[in-house]
Amino acid sequence: MLMKLLFGSDPGALTVHCLSELAALTIEFPDQRAFLIVPEQIKVQMERAYLETTQTAGLMMAEVLSFRRLAHRLLDETGLLPQQRIDAFGRRMLLFRVLKENRAQMHSFGHLADRSGFLTEIDAVVGDLKRHSITAAQLRQAAAADCDTEKSLSNKLNDLAILLTGYNDALLSHGLADSDDDLERLALLLEKIISFTDPAALPFPYYRLKYLRRSHVFLSGFGFTRDFTPQEYRILNALKQLGVSLNIAVQADAMPTSEQAVEAGPEAFLIGRRTLYHLEQRFSDCQSVLIEPGQRTPNLKVIDLADREAEIDYVAGEIRRLVQTDGYRYKDIAIALCEPHTQLALLRAAAQRYNLALFLDETRSLAGTSLLRYFLGLLDLPLRNWARDPLMTVLRSGLTSLEPTEVDLLENDLLERGLFRRDRLFSRHTLAEPQPDDEAARRIKNAVETVFEPMRVFTDKLKRSGTTAECCQLIRKFCSEQGLAAKVESVAEQLRAKGEADAALLLASAHSMLGEVLGQLETIGGNLPISLADLRDTLRSGLS
């Protein structure tokens, strides 16, 4: 079936055209499926636009999906979706294990495994390698080619090859699947369906997707910030071979006919022209259609103010006016900062002055949350013989039964008596009945019995536990016995009362993610043994 390439300089007109065509097809062919594939980050926005455009109450024969959700949808429909899957937390923990196991073989990455933020970067790189179908063999070949001229680059490519091989082997040995491979699985599934000579007699479970041959697929939102990946091109090619009606909308000012034409023209449309050129090279029988810009009244206002503070104050005041007098909601308003590193603090302060509910769309690390400090300090206690640093980290997290003033007094008492050691802290002398006038001894005895003893019992059980699964169960049991959920909620409420809503949200997220990380750790580790140090490092890699 003919593929159409829809292009134009107005993204709004492209979107309206796709939605209108999609709505018309669902009316004309009510028994045929239709899909609108968009980038993950605009899926909800496009669903809302489709419902508003078509004036329908829901999505029935038409669906708005991303490539990944399309893969999940079709794989699940055929029963080929892997059951044991790991998410981002599990992937980072598995990568951390591979880094540690292969540290001696790596020249560039081995010593960086424990560095904060490094696992997140490596996770992103491995994801890019998978999306662009780059294998470990290709990395080794590239490393060998650059061995003489670029030694540093060659070492990094070799390290990535070792990491990718180890990661894939670890997935295989644990019987796990990575969600980043879903597009590869979808491409294989579609190619398998194509291989059958009689489309009308597809065997189980492939006949479940026989409706695809009479389906209509629109793609919108691509070619603006990036081209299609090799995995996505492979899926498009398979859909085309199946006879699916494909309509691909790309924001571009012209249809380029050569490499030189791609580079000519406004830079704002460079990625779009490049995407169109690649599509035309791959699918030579496609038809190009120019979508004219829509008639829209420019709504742009330029305001000249004295300095950054005045700009932020004006914006905050205008938002307050829009919400109070013009019927806007906070979620209808967005603020784009040109220099976040200097403007963000001013914006926070202005939001407090004008009593605005400010939500910041930024990646937040859990490394600084009191929950992560509490757990890492707790696991450090037996490893460092109950030294001062890990013990005070736990106490100052705010997640124990001691108040901040009690913690300050207790620290002075322990320092004065030299009790920052396990044998001294739990000695008979420390636990003996204190003299009536010895307030310090009474505080220490109370802390040991009510706070330190449960932690000692817990960490001792962790050291004796045989498997990763047992460690995860012990952690869950300890959290339940200590009422950690209620303590996290209490600390979060205190942060909200101080106007630190972001910190409160981050703490609640950390508590929620702890459960997910433990679940992934059980899936990855299962009945394998794990040391206390490895448990601490793995939790840090998953939660930070």
Side-chain angles (χ1 to χ4, degrees):
M1 191 171 287
L2 185 66
M3 174 190 287
K4 288 185 180 180
L5 299 184
L6 315 172
F7 71 96
S9 59
D10 184 355
L14 289 169
T15 300
V16 169
H17 179 85
C18 288
L19 294 176
S20 301
E21 287 288 311
L22 192 63
L25 284 171
T26 56
I27 295 172
E28 185 177 356
F29 305 104
D31 61 332
Q32 296 182 9
R33 300 282 183 91
F35 300 94
L36 175 60
I37 302 177
V38 297
E40 188 81 39
Q41 61 269 25
I42 65 170
K43 177 184 174 296
V44 175
Q45 175 187 340
M46 292 299 285
E47 281 182 343
R48 181 177 175 182
Y50 174 78
L51 294 174
E52 290 175 349
T53 301
T54 59
Q55 298 296 309
T56 56
L59 297 169
M60 293 295 289
M61 300 303 286
E63 296 182 67
V64 181
L65 303 167
S66 64
F67 268 108
R68 179 169 292 187
R69 290 175 184 267
L70 175 69
H72 190 283
R73 165 90 157 68
L74 299 183
L75 289 168
D76 188 47
E77 196 164 346
T78 53
L80 299 176
L81 188 69
Q83 296 300 310
Q84 293 287 339
R85 297 157 62 83
I86 60 170
D87 57 16
F89 306 114
R91 189 163 54 243
R92 284 198 293 269
M93 288 189 286
L94 205 56
L95 286 170
F96 176 73
R97 177 174 292 184
V98 173
L99 278 169
K100 290 194 70 174
E101 291 174 351
N102 295 276
R103 182 173 294 183
Q105 303 175 45
M106 295 184 174
H107 294 88
S108 299
F109 297 156
H111 65 287
L112 297 174
D114 296 319
R115 181 173 295 182
S116 177
F118 179 70
L119 272 176
T120 304
E121 295 177 13
I122 282 293
D123 181 27
V125 171
V126 170
D128 286 338
L129 292 175
K130 285 178 171 289
R131 281 186 287 275
H132 288 81
S133 303
I134 297 173
T135 64
Q138 291 173 317
L139 290 170
R140 290 193 182 93
Q141 186 179 358
D146 293 329
C147 185
D148 296 330
T149 56
E150 293 286 346
K151 188 65 176 176
S152 175
L153 176 59
S154 177
N155 287 338
K156 290 177 182 177
L157 291 173
N158 266 319
D159 285 1
L160 283 174
I162 293 170
L163 187 64
L164 193 57
T165 301
Y167 177 65
N168 289 330
D169 289 346
L171 286 175
L172 189 62
S173 65
H174 288 91
L176 300 173
D178 188 343
S179 57
D180 277 346
D181 292 326
D182 281 352
L183 297 192
E184 184 74 16
R185 296 186 191 95
L186 175 60
L188 290 171
L189 171 61
L190 296 176
E191 289 164 0
K192 181 67 175 178
I193 295 175
I194 293 168
S195 69
F196 293 109
T197 54
D198 186 2
L202 293 175
F204 178 84
Y206 306 105
Y207 74 82
R208 290 176 177 268
L209 300 183
K210 61 183 179 181
Y211 64 82
L212 284 178
R213 295 184 183 273
R214 300 174 61 244
S215 297
H216 306 270
V217 175
F218 289 81
L219 294 97
S220 180
F222 298 95
F224 181 62
T225 58
R226 66 169 179 86
D227 195 351
F228 292 102
T229 66
Q231 285 181 332
E232 292 165 350
Y233 271 120
R234 191 174 165 189
I235 291 170
L236 291 177
N237 184 57
L239 289 172
K240 186 174 184 298
Q241 290 186 56
L242 278 173
V244 175
S245 171
L246 285 172
N247 298 268
I248 305 176
V250 178
Q251 185 182 359
D253 59 326
M255 174 64 74
T257 55
S258 65
E259 286 281 4
Q260 292 75 21
V262 170
E263 302 300 325
E267 189 175 351
F269 301 108
L270 175 61
I271 298 176
R273 291 194 300 271
R274 186 174 295 149
T275 303
L276 284 175
Y277 183 71
H278 290 161
L279 284 166
E280 200 168 39
Q281 291 296 304
R282 289 172 180 267
F283 310 106
S284 56
D285 59 342
C286 58
Q287 175 189 357
S288 58
V289 179
L290 173 64
I291 305 299
E292 297 292 344
Q295 297 297 322
R296 293 189 298 174
T297 304
N299 190 14
L300 179 66
K301 186 186 295 185
V302 179
I303 300 168
D304 186 17
L305 295 168
D307 50 34
R308 287 195 182 94
E309 288 83 352
E311 289 178 9
I312 296 294
D313 264 358
Y314 173 81
V315 169
E318 187 68 6
I319 291 173
R320 186 179 177 87
R321 182 188 67 79
L322 290 171
V323 171
Q324 290 186 341
T325 64
D326 287 10
Y328 281 83
R329 294 173 294 179
Y330 287 123
K331 69 176 184 178
D332 299 326
I333 303 169
I335 304 172
L337 299 177
C338 297
E339 300 176 357
H341 59 285
T342 58
Q343 294 174 307
L344 195 52
L346 297 173
L347 184 59
R348 288 180 188 274
Q352 287 188 350
R353 288 198 302 273
Y354 286 87
N355 195 26
L356 302 178
L358 188 64
F359 171 77
L360 300 176
D361 184 16
E362 61 180 356
T363 302
R364 300 174 177 90
S365 172
L366 302 179
T369 60
S370 56
L371 182 67
L372 187 57
R373 294 199 310 271
Y374 174 82
F375 264 104
L376 294 183
L378 192 60
L379 297 178
D380 261 338
L381 287 174
L383 296 172
R384 298 180 58 184
N385 197 26
W386 290 71
R388 177 186 178 186
D389 287 346
L391 183 56
M392 295 313 301
T393 297
V394 171
L395 296 180
R396 294 197 184 282
S397 67
L399 299 177
T400 68
S401 58
L402 300 178
E403 296 295 327
T405 52
E406 294 177 305
V407 172
D408 291 338
L409 291 172
L410 183 61
E411 182 180 18
N412 293 332
D413 297 337
L414 295 174
L415 274 173
E416 182 182 356
R417 304 189 182 205
L419 296 181
F420 282 111
R421 247 175 55 177
R422 178 187 166 113
D423 58 338
R424 296 177 182 175
L425 196 58
F426 296 100
S427 67
R428 291 183 179 179
H429 177 72
T430 304
L431 295 173
E433 190 64 31
Q435 296 296 323
D437 58 343
D438 194 345
E439 289 294 331
R442 187 173 288 104
R443 283 193 295 266
I444 293 171
K445 184 175 184 295
N446 178 66
V448 170
E449 291 177 344
T450 61
V451 180
F452 299 158
E453 181 61 19
M455 295 193 298
R456 183 192 65 79
V457 172
F458 166 63
T459 53
D460 285 351
K461 286 181 179 178
L462 280 180
K463 289 177 69 175
R464 294 194 303 269
S465 62
T467 65
T468 303
E470 287 178 12
C471 288
C472 294
Q473 292 167 9
L474 285 170
I475 292 173
R476 291 194 184 96
K477 184 179 179 182
F478 178 77
C479 291
S480 176
E481 290 173 347
Q482 296 298 307
L484 196 63
K487 291 174 182 176
V488 167
E489 186 176 351
S490 174
V491 173
E493 282 298 327
Q494 294 172 22
L495 290 170
R496 290 191 195 96
K498 295 177 183 177
E500 300 178 27
D502 288 340
L505 179 62
L506 200 60
L507 178 58
S509 299
H511 182 256
S512 175
M513 289 176 185
L514 175 62
E516 296 181 33
V517 168
L518 291 176
Q520 289 290 306
L521 187 55
E522 275 184 307
T523 301
I524 294 169
N527 294 323
L528 295 176
I530 187 170
S531 69
L532 201 56
D534 284 344
L535 177 64
R536 176 202 59 194
D537 293 342
T538 305
L539 283 176
R540 180 193 289 124
S541 68
L543 284 168
S544 62

